Amino acid sequence: MIEGVNVKKLRVIPDERGFLMEMLRADDPFFQKFGQAYLTAAYPGVVKGWHYHKIQTDHFIVVKGMMKVVLYDMRENSSTKGEINEFFMGELNPMLITIPPGVLHGMKCISEEIAFLINIPTEIYEYGDPDEHRVAAHDNDIPYDWGRKDG
């Protein structure tokens, strides 16, 4: 596991009315602070990535469909520099992933329908000076192939 990454298995509590799933709590041991919450969507087969933050910590939860979320540790002083983590998350595997600053991340919708990802970052999005640093999804030096791995 990449240094600073946390995974919280989410519990779905169903009853005859529907279900409830807690995502992030202020008493979680990895909780830092609340910046904002937003939803992003990806169509089947679409890759959104790569990007990283210098200050912000992200908390990813896929609430509809399935996504492959991939992390790459590019931090110079990290004990896990160069490590890649893949997470298959969503309706069939509910979890929250904490992504620390300096860790490149991206996602690919792997379900046959649109997938929704909620992010609860520690910082607000600064429109004039965003803490968002992008790397091309496919043309880069990252040792990762977004293609499906059959077999």
Side-chain angles (χ1 to χ4, degrees):
M1 186 75 66
I2 291 174
E3 180 183 342
V5 173
N6 293 293
V7 177
K8 175 184 176 182
K9 203 67 178 138
L10 299 179
R11 191 175 75 152
V12 177
I13 305 165
D15 65 22
E16 66 274 7
R17 301 167 298 162
F19 67 90
L20 177 136
M21 181 177 69
E22 288 184 343
M23 295 184 290
L24 180 64
R25 296 171 50 101
D27 61 355
D28 282 330
F30 54 84
F31 179 80
Q32 298 170 44
K33 68 177 188 172
F34 175 80
Q36 68 178 51
Y38 68 84
L39 174 92
T40 186
Y43 296 119
V46 170
V47 173
K48 289 187 166 189
W50 298 91
H51 74 274
Y52 68 96
H53 310 286
K54 293 182 179 178
I55 300 166
Q56 175 175 303
T57 296
D58 285 334
H59 301 95
F60 278 12
I61 308 105
V62 177
V63 296
K64 178 177 175 22
M66 290 293 295
M67 284 189 170
K68 174 171 62 172
V69 175
V70 184
L71 313 180
Y72 175 64
D73 192 354
M74 63 174 214
R75 300 170 295 175
E76 286 301 322
N77 297 322
S78 172
S79 64
T80 54
K81 184 179 187 318
E83 191 168 318
I84 291 175
N85 292 159
E86 271 185 332
F87 300 95
F88 297 90
M89 53 192 292
E91 291 175 294
L92 300 176
N93 191 23
M95 67 174 66
L96 176 145
I97 299 172
T98 302
I99 306 168
V103 173
L104 273 165
H105 47 285
M107 71 277 293
K108 178 181 181 179
C109 177
I110 59 171
S111 53
E112 294 183 6
E113 73 275 350
I114 192 170
F116 295 156
L117 182 145
I118 292 175
N119 186 19
I120 307 169
T122 56
E123 310 299 322
I124 61 168
Y125 185 84
E126 295 286 350
Y127 296 103
D129 185 23
D131 178 26
E132 182 133 320
H133 310 279
R134 295 191 175 275
V135 175
H138 304 284
D139 185 21
N140 57 56
D141 294 332
I142 302 165
Y144 188 77
D145 178 1
W146 285 102
R148 192 171 79 182
K149 294 159 185 74
D150 295 332

